[in-house]
Amino acid sequence: MLTAFARAFKTPDLRKKLLFTLGIIVIYRLGAHVPIPGIDYSNVQTCMDVSKSTTGLFGLVNMFSGGALLQITVFALGIMPYITASIILQLLTVVIPRLEALKKEGQAGTAKITQYTRYLTVALAILQGTGLVATARTGALFQGCPVASQIVPDQSIFITVTMVITMTAGTCVMMWLGELITDKGIGNGMSILMFISIAATFPSALWAIKQGGSLADGWIEFGTVILVGLVMVGLVVFVEQAQRRIPVQYAKRMVGRRSYGGTSTYIPLKVNQAGVIPVIFASSLLYIPALVAQFAGGDSSWKLWIDDHLTKGNHPIYIVTYFLLIVFFAFFYVAISFNPEEVADNMKKYGGFIPGIRAGRPTAEYLSYVLNRITWPGSLYLGLIALVPTMALVGFGANQNFPFGGTSILIIVGVGLETVKQIESQLQQRNYEGFLR
């Protein structure tokens, strides 16, 4: 593997792409540490030392921003507005006929949908930036910090608007950096930035577990977490690569004197067809009642119930609800992203058929049957992986963050595998062995 990396840097065009990607990553990490105007950074650091845990309301967004959210920097919103906008456009494509027609137009339609995604990203960034500034002004961003209400000393309209504009501009710059990586670097730019954001939080989270441990100065807990992390990575790689390959045979047809078709291929149905989207959906949905309760005044009974049952990640009601939402959204997302009838029609149009299954409606019913069968283990796997940080919360204490689990490990492994495959394919084009012999 190290030899393959050396060969990658010896290839001029591949070396240029790798160095360009590394340069963009450095710029991105620098922007994640530049505070926005109007923030008392010393008070932010004080609250960061007091409230080290990010398992609460803003944990997901803070993870996607690489820890920049709680530091209220230029890239505080991270890539989350773009992810949300992409998911919304993907869901609307199924509902709105105009967007569905654009999707079928090819490259021109895809470019138009990408433009809509950018506009929606800016709108969501303004909305989320306003919410973050309002939360920082009230002191609710850091629970239990004595100087949390003094993070924004000047609460005038001008300073507030400047802070929102700065964070929105930071999100736009991140979009631009991600597209630059996609065009001139290696891998998908947005995925690479997500990978870097999550990986950047690993060292501090692991060191916090070591410092909070009590056995052999925390080294036993530290080693246990590393071991569990390696097992988790192996499990995720195994399931993410698992496929149900449905064989497809294409009939021969004569066009003039030439024969076309007659080839055999397969439809790869992944066990985890939905990816990490169900976990994001479930996390976002569970944050809504907690967000409403946080901004609601008074101590009403419903607010206290939400604080006790849906805000604490180790409560049984929270765990069961989270797991069921992940299973539901896994089936929901697979249903809207994979259309068996469309696949069956395309196969019939080009003379393809599944051996032993009639073309047309029987093929669509067979694909639906297989898809439902493999979605069950995929959804249960997603639910169990997402609950690993919750179990670690109970085992290692409420103030510690378990990095290997949930959304983080799924994105880290998925993006890592795709990026390595792209590098390997470019190496193999030059008669190199790639990463795996």
Side-chain angles (χ1 to χ4, degrees):
M1 185 174 175
L2 295 177
T3 306
F5 272 115
R7 287 173 175 171
F9 277 96
K10 287 180 182 178
T11 308
D13 54 344
L14 191 55
R15 179 177 65 245
K16 184 178 179 180
K17 291 182 178 181
L18 290 171
L19 292 177
F20 180 83
T21 304
L22 291 175
I24 295 295
I25 289 172
V26 170
I27 295 174
Y28 167 63
R29 289 307 300 162
L30 286 175
H33 290 85
V34 177
I36 64 174
I39 292 294
D40 190 333
Y41 197 64
S42 60
N43 288 336
V44 172
Q45 292 300 311
T46 302
C47 290
M48 288 286 292
D49 293 335
V50 174
S51 306
K52 294 182 179 179
S53 176
T54 56
T55 55
L57 183 62
F58 300 97
L60 184 69
V61 184
N62 188 66
M63 182 189 69
F64 278 110
S65 66
L69 173 75
L70 295 182
Q71 298 183 35
I72 320 179
T73 62
V74 175
F75 292 160
L77 299 179
I79 207 71
M80 201 64 181
Y82 183 85
I83 296 173
T84 309
S86 301
I87 294 173
I88 291 174
L89 260 296
Q90 194 169 5
L91 295 176
L92 290 179
T93 303
V94 184
V95 180
I96 302 177
R98 170 62 179 163
L99 292 177
E100 190 175 1
L102 281 176
K103 186 179 180 181
K104 295 179 179 179
E105 286 182 6
Q107 188 174 359
T110 304
K112 200 71 176 177
I113 293 177
T114 303
Q115 197 70 18
Y116 292 155
T117 306
R118 292 170 183 163
Y119 294 148
L120 185 58
T121 300
V122 173
L124 290 174
I126 294 174
L127 183 63
Q128 294 182 12
T130 305
L132 177 59
V133 172
T135 307
R137 289 172 58 176
T138 59
L141 189 61
F142 295 98
Q143 297 290 339
C145 179
V147 295
S149 59
Q150 303 173 17
I151 289 178
V152 187
D154 188 355
Q155 300 189 0
S156 62
I157 297 296
F158 176 76
I159 292 296
T160 302
V161 172
T162 303
M163 293 168 68
V164 174
I165 291 176
T166 303
M167 285 189 286
T168 305
T171 300
C172 296
V173 170
M174 286 186 62
M175 266 199 306
W176 178 58
L177 294 177
E179 291 177 359
L180 283 179
I181 293 177
T182 303
D183 293 338
K184 301 180 180 180
I186 287 291
N188 182 281
M190 298 301 175
S191 300
I192 294 292
L193 293 183
M194 274 197 299
F195 179 95
I196 296 301
S197 299
I198 297 170
T201 62
F202 273 36
S204 59
L206 289 172
W207 191 248
I209 291 175
K210 189 266 174 189
Q211 288 184 324
S214 57
L215 301 176
D217 293 333
W219 287 110
I220 293 181
E221 288 90 341
F222 181 82
T224 304
V225 170
I226 294 293
L227 184 61
V228 171
L230 292 176
V231 174
M232 292 290 299
V233 170
L235 174 64
V236 172
V237 170
F238 178 77
V239 179
E240 291 294 321
Q241 298 290 86
Q243 295 178 349
R244 169 70 162 89
R245 297 181 175 181
I246 299 177
V248 178
Q249 183 75 33
Y250 284 92
K252 284 187 179 181
R253 66 182 191 275
M254 298 296 296
V255 179
R257 294 184 177 181
R258 293 189 176 183
S259 174
Y260 294 91
T263 59
S264 297
T265 182
Y266 60 88
I267 301 174
L269 296 179
K270 296 181 65 176
V271 173
N272 183 22
Q273 190 81 7
V276 74
I277 302 299
V279 182
I280 297 177
F281 275 13
S283 302
S284 303
L285 195 62
L286 274 178
Y287 285 158
I288 293 176
L291 185 63
V292 172
Q294 188 172 17
F295 287 103
D299 292 326
S300 57
S301 58
W302 65 271
K303 182 178 182 297
L304 294 175
W305 189 89
I306 290 177
D307 289 338
D308 292 337
H309 297 81
L310 295 181
T311 304
K312 299 176 181 178
N314 55 355
H315 197 279
I317 292 181
Y318 178 91
I319 294 174
V320 173
T321 306
Y322 190 35
F323 183 82
L324 293 178
L325 282 175
I326 290 174
V327 174
F328 168 76
F329 281 121
F331 279 92
F332 173 75
Y333 189 76
V334 168
I336 66 171
S337 62
F338 186 88
N339 189 351
E341 294 183 358
E342 184 179 351
V343 175
D345 290 341
N346 290 335
M347 288 170 53
K348 186 177 181 180
K349 186 185 300 183
Y350 295 104
F353 62 93
I354 300 174
I357 307 294
R358 291 177 63 87
R361 186 175 181 83
T363 299
E365 292 176 351
Y366 176 75
L367 290 175
S368 299
Y369 170 75
V370 174
L371 197 62
N372 288 332
R373 289 282 296 271
I374 66 172
T375 303
W376 269 114
S379 61
L380 296 177
Y381 146 81
L382 275 179
L384 292 175
I385 290 292
L387 288 177
V388 167
T390 303
M391 301 307 173
L393 198 69
V394 178
F396 293 102
N399 290 326
Q400 306 301 332
N401 300 314
F402 187 76
F404 299 105
T407 316
S408 59
I409 198 68
L410 292 170
I411 293 177
I412 286 281
V413 173
V415 175
L417 287 174
E418 290 300 320
T419 306
V420 166
K421 284 180 181 178
Q422 288 200 21
I423 299 175
E424 187 175 2
S425 64
Q426 296 200 29
L427 285 175
Q428 289 177 344
Q429 288 178 0
R430 295 163 180 81
N431 299 321
Y432 290 146
E433 294 177 345
F435 287 99
L436 303 176
R437 294 182 182 274

